[in-house]
């Protein structure tokens, strides 16, 4: 699972880097659904017995880092604005409003653009645990009922766009899809059959989103109406393909060590890769004598045939460095 998470977080950074359109369309078909799928896959049955602990555990896993890091970046907002990373500074009134929105998970900082994932994960995990607990409590926790819940949610999500009322974004198609993939991951963990040649089967499955990407761009934020069931099918195919490819890499010690290391630190890559992009943009802008105001553009300021590779490598590398620096500080303090 760490290898799969590493592959998906790398694809996420690439997707934000200004990569070629086809590559962008391809990876957005499945890389974020794969995260929700893995979260459901890793859900322990013990939380279905102890609902209170299960809800707290799952909620804290997304709520605490969201609030913590949003507040930290919020404190530095005006500093970043003075460095042309942001276009505008915050007034005290705006700052207080942003603090409230952080605690209610209704808004965040643009340098933490990927934090929509934590919002959707929060609601998806709460909703899925409640649903599975209900099935478990009533002794009807069967594959048919779990998949029945998935199908029902797919139908609801398909027609959600046609509701006469407008609900907050946190309760929109994006979070409904997150819940669907979460439940799908839990169900597949109980019944999926691993092939004898996972690399071959995984690569074969990824051919399907590779073909679809030629004709369509669909992501979790674009899937609505009749595109919902189509997107779900393609995302599931790509997700299973990634999992099988990850399984084939377990026997490779080098790949396991590198990807396992990255996969264990996905949160920090999610947090810091936009800020790391700014360093690449600043160096390019300085060397080419472009207007410094271009640095305010997000997530990247420069787009050409090659710099997306630099953005991607820097986004991953500096985020991992940030993890090492942050986690080495307590060790140094203890030694003192």
């Amino acid at each position: 699972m760490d290898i799969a998470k590493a592959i998906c977080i790398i694809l996420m950074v690439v997707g934000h880097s200004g990569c070629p359109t086809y590559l962008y369309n391809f990876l957005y078909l499945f890389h974020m659904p794969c995260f929700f799928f893995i979260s459901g896959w890793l859900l322990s049955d013990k939380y279905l017995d102890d609902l209170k602990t299960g809800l707290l555990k799952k909620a804290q896993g997304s709520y605490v880092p969201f609030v913590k890091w949003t507040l930290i970046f919020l404190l530095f907002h005006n500093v970043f604005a003075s460095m042309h990373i942001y276009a505008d500074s915050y007034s005290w009134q705006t700052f207080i409003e942003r603090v409230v929105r952080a605690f209610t998970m209704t808004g965040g900082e643009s340098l933490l653009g990927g934090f929509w994932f934590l919002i959707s994960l929060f609601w998806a995990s709460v909703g899925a645990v409640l649903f599975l607990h209900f099935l478990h409590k009533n002794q009807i926790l069967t594959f048919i009922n779990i998949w029945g819940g998935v199908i029902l949610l797919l139908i609801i999500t398909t027609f959600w766009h046609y509701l006469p009322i407008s609900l907050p974004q946190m309760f929109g198609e994006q979070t409904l899809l997150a819940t669907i993939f979460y439940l799908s991951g839990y169900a597949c963990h109980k019944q999926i059959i691993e092939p004898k040649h996972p690399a071959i089967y995984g690569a074969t499955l990824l051919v399907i989103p590779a073909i679809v990407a030629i004709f369509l761009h669909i992501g979790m934020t674009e899937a609505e109406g009749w595109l919902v069931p189509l997107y779900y099918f393609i995302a599931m195919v790509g997700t299973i393909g990634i999992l099988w490819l990850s399984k084939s890499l377990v026997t490779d010690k080098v790949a396991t060590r590198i990807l396992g290391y990255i996969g264990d630190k996905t949160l920090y890559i999610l947090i810091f890769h936009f800020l790391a992009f700014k360093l690449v943009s600043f160096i390019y802008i300085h060397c080419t004598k472009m207007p410094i105001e271009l640095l305010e553009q997000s997530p990247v300021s420069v787009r050409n045939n090659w710099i997306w590779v630099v953005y991607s490598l820097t986004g991953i590398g500096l985020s991992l460095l940030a993890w090492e620096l942050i986690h080495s500080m307590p060790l140094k303090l203890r030694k003192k």
Side-chain angles (χ1 to χ4, degrees), residues 263-276:
D264 188 47
K265 299 162 182 63
T266 53
L267 177 62
Y268 278 77
I269 296 175
L270 182 68
I271 293 168
F272 288 107
H273 74 285
F274 272 21
L275 189 57

Side-chain angles (χ1 to χ4, degrees), residues 22 25-26 29-30 201-216 230-241 244:
Y22 171 76
N25 291 346
F26 169 68
L29 286 169
F30 59 85
Y201 282 92
T204 302
L205 285 179
L206 288 172
V207 170
I208 294 176
I211 294 173
V212 173
I214 300 173
F215 306 100
L216 291 175
L230 174 63
Y231 177 70
Y232 174 74
F233 170 76
I234 298 167
M236 284 294 291
V237 169
T239 294
I240 299 299
W244 282 347

Side-chain angles (χ1 to χ4, degrees), residues 273-287:
H273 74 285
F274 272 21
L275 189 57
F277 285 174
K278 295 298 182 181
L279 177 61
V280 177
S281 297
F282 174 78
I283 293 173
Y284 188 92
I285 289 169
H286 177 74
C287 292

Side-chain angles (χ1 to χ4, degrees), residues 59-67 70 98-108 115-123 168-170:
Q60 287 175 355
S62 48
Y63 180 81
V64 172
F66 180 91
V67 174
T70 300
R98 291 285 178 170
V99 170
V100 173
R101 295 190 68 182
F103 279 103
T104 56
M105 296 186 85
T106 56
F115 266 29
W116 69 265
F117 167 76
L118 293 180
I119 298 175
S120 291
L121 180 60
F122 173 86
W123 292 109
Q169 186 178 5
M170 68 183 71

Side-chain angles (χ1 to χ4, degrees), residues 286-334:
H286 177 74
C287 292
T288 56
K289 302 189 184 304
M290 298 170 69
I292 191 62
E293 287 74 19
L294 289 176
L295 191 61
E296 298 166 1
Q297 297 180 7
S298 185
V300 296
S301 305
V302 184
R303 296 176 184 268
N304 58 35
N305 293 330
W306 58 268
I307 200 167
W308 66 271
V309 178
V310 180
Y311 275 122
S312 299
L313 293 174
T314 305
I316 296 167
L318 289 186
S319 298
L320 295 174
L321 178 61
W323 185 93
E324 293 289 349
L325 292 174
I326 291 171
H327 285 78
S328 67
M329 290 173 62
L331 291 176
K332 291 179 179 178
L333 290 174
R334 283 200 296 267

